[in-house]
Amino acid sequence: MRQPDADEASDQNVTDAAQRQRFHNLFVVDDHVAFRRVSNAMSKRLFDYSGYYTVLVMNPDYHRALRSIQTILSDLWMHYVINVAVLVAVPTRRTKALVYTFFPYGKEHCEHVRPVVWNVYDHTAGRFEHSERDLFPAKMENFFGCPLTVATFSIYPFIIPEPMGRLEGIEGLLLEALRVRFNFKLEVVLVEPPDWGIAGPRADATGASLYIRQRRANLTIGYWATTLHRNQYMANSVSYYTSLLVLAVPPGAPYTSLEKFRFPFRAPVWLLLLLMLVIGSLVIGLLRRRHVSIQRLVFGAISSHPWFSMINVLLGGGLYRQPGRNFARALLIQWLAGTLILRNAYTGSMFKFLQAARNHSTPETVPALLEAGYELYMYRNYSFVFDANPVIKRQVRIVTAQKFRRETLLRLQHPRERLAVLVPIETLTFLNRNLSREGLLLRLARDRVYVAKLAIYSQHASPLITPFNRVLEMFASAGLIARWAGRYHQKRFLIDQHRQRRTESIVLSDMSGKSLV
């Protein structure tokens, strides 16, 4: 790998769009000393390094001009400029000019500047001798087996390190497809500790970002979600996959027998029913103290159990003796109509309850979880999600992979535990595929916390980005990336505690009430 250049000040100009970047450039210089003054002043704010650069060397000393070509091309390569043509006049034939360029990756060299004569311009004929050749040819279609260093770390199921430097997983398969397509050798550097790191100036960068900022790696991959802060200091490819960061939560405490009984009605309905019973009981109690004629008017007959008759009708039972007076019959019909409506409403709500989840649901958003006293756990890498919300970020608890497997995973199986873990949805289904064999499961909360647009990151103006983008778009449109993801992310292992019974049928055991016990 090449050492970092000294143009550190240009990092401060990445986001300054006050001046338009120059895409087509023509430089007329005497020698490499004059061009060095130009290259030292080049910055990302002024120049688009993916553009086209033509350098005309006017030095009459042909041999000195040839020596300058190596330096000029090397200076441009330090800025990752590859679309370059250097013109030098031939001393013996002033009507001809040699066009020099370089190919950063070749059969006998890798990331090394070797000037080659690409074409010859004949001023007399007014054309190039090799007219079939483009002035700026494509140089990144074949790497001829040259090594590319990738900085990554284990993040299941996107990057799964294997022996001999191989990478499995969703993005591991993607990287292997790119390797075959562009014919490069993959050199894997596993970042320790596993971390995306802070994407900032070279002096402040950490983790995998440090490898990119110091040019110790050509690219980095491994659930790199595109963010504005990262894009200020590194270049990202097109987004090739969309992932969701979700919450894994406990199943929730089961309903008690009393909760199952009162579930179909809300509290105001139960209060209204209780109020009706209290009023009815008070009326019966007062009438029992009145004259027999008044009791016959209301009850229709002398009854020693009017309270029992009221409750019996409420629950759908019959009367041993029907009232004989019209006034008493009118009261009975009104009570029958009201209780009939209540029983039908209760029955209909009970059918919905039998199809709903049988446990208490957890809060659906991160603020609601924290307000309810839940502990929010996540790997340190995912904490960037809450950079814009420091109040929540201060309450986040960092968990290591070892602690998650040994402690947190087991806590998530207990209904009365109050915690949640932030993970990619692909990680949740991948773990469930293995955990289900052990009788364990991770359950998904309803809310999605963050939508991650995954990309490959490299240095600003890296020549890898443009060819990679073209192939990544082809892979995505052909459905290959979705197919690779399907090997590890299978929705049948997605346990959503809010929807897991939605499609279940009501069976006889539900009708008998045995399923509620």
Side-chain angles (χ1 to χ4, degrees), residues 173-198:
L173 294 175
L174 171 63
L175 197 59
E176 175 64 16
L178 291 174
R179 185 196 68 79
V180 174
R181 168 61 181 80
F182 289 101
N183 187 26
F184 60 80
K185 178 182 178 182
L186 192 62
E187 293 186 352
V188 178
V189 176
L190 296 178
V191 179
E192 288 294 341
D195 187 17
W196 293 313
I198 299 173

Side-chain angles (χ1 to χ4, degrees), residues 383-430:
S383 60
F384 78 93
V385 173
F386 302 109
D387 285 343
N389 197 327
V391 176
I392 293 180
K393 192 171 184 178
R394 285 194 296 267
Q395 302 181 63
V396 167
R397 302 192 179 191
I398 304 302
V399 61
T400 61
Q402 292 77 9
K403 186 176 181 180
F404 175 78
R405 291 284 299 185
R406 295 174 182 174
E407 299 181 18
T408 311
L409 181 61
L410 298 178
R411 289 183 62 190
L412 286 171
Q413 310 305 314
H414 295 287
R416 300 190 183 277
E417 287 285 351
R418 303 180 74 82
L419 78 157
V421 181
L422 185 70
V423 293
I425 193 171
E426 293 81 5
T427 302
L428 187 144
T429 57
F430 179 76

Side-chain angles (χ1 to χ4, degrees), residues 221-452:
I221 189 173
Y223 206 85
W224 278 91
T226 56
T227 65
L228 180 61
H229 178 72
R230 290 172 175 174
N231 294 349
Q232 289 178 343
Y233 298 97
M234 299 183 292
N236 64 291
S237 70
V238 296
S239 175
Y240 50 79
Y241 187 76
T242 300
S243 175
L244 299 179
L245 281 172
V246 297
L247 293 169
V249 295
Y255 290 112
T256 63
S257 299
L258 182 60
E259 286 176 324
K260 294 173 182 177
F261 172 74
R262 67 172 177 83
F263 177 81
F265 282 163
R266 295 183 179 272
V269 180
W270 285 113
L271 290 175
L272 179 61
L273 178 59
L274 180 61
L275 181 62
M276 292 170 57
L277 292 175
V278 170
I279 294 174
S281 299
L282 290 176
V283 170
I284 293 173
L286 292 174
L287 291 175
R288 294 285 287 180
R289 296 176 181 272
R290 296 296 181 179
H291 193 269
V292 175
S293 61
I294 298 178
Q295 294 185 36
R296 288 177 177 176
L297 175 66
V298 177
F299 300 147
I302 301 299
S303 175
S304 60
H305 303 289
W307 288 286
F308 176 77
S309 299
M310 180 180 66
I311 299 299
N312 193 36
V313 172
L314 173 66
L315 299 178
L319 294 178
Y320 174 73
R321 186 176 181 181
Q322 305 298 325
R325 292 177 176 267
N326 291 335
F327 182 73
R329 290 176 177 177
L331 291 177
L332 177 60
I333 291 174
Q334 292 180 10
W335 183 250
L336 283 172
T339 56
L340 179 62
I341 294 174
L342 284 172
R343 289 197 303 271
N344 287 339
Y346 188 89
T347 304
S349 299
M350 181 60 74
F351 272 101
K352 293 183 179 180
F353 172 70
L354 293 174
Q355 293 178 297
R358 299 178 182 179
N359 296 44
H360 286 282
S361 62
T362 57
E364 298 180 3
T365 63
V366 173
L369 282 167
L370 297 176
E371 186 177 351
Y374 280 71
E375 300 173 348
L376 181 59
Y377 288 90
M378 66 183 66
Y379 294 157
R380 182 162 57 95
N381 278 345
Y382 302 131
S383 60
F384 78 93
V385 173
F386 302 109
D387 285 343
N389 197 327
V391 176
I392 293 180
K393 192 171 184 178
R394 285 194 296 267
Q395 302 181 63
V396 167
R397 302 192 179 191
I398 304 302
V399 61
T400 61
Q402 292 77 9
K403 186 176 181 180
F404 175 78
R405 291 284 299 185
R406 295 174 182 174
E407 299 181 18
T408 311
L409 181 61
L410 298 178
R411 289 183 62 190
L412 286 171
Q413 310 305 314
H414 295 287
R416 300 190 183 277
E417 287 285 351
R418 303 180 74 82
L419 78 157
V421 181
L422 185 70
V423 293
I425 193 171
E426 293 81 5
T427 302
L428 187 144
T429 57
F430 179 76
L431 291 177
N432 275 348
R433 184 173 64 175
N434 300 322
L435 293 174
S436 58
R437 303 167 187 169
E438 305 172 12
L440 305 176
L441 283 176
L442 292 175
R443 293 164 178 83
L444 170 68
R446 181 176 299 178
D447 187 43
R448 63 181 184 184
V449 180
Y450 186 80
V451 179

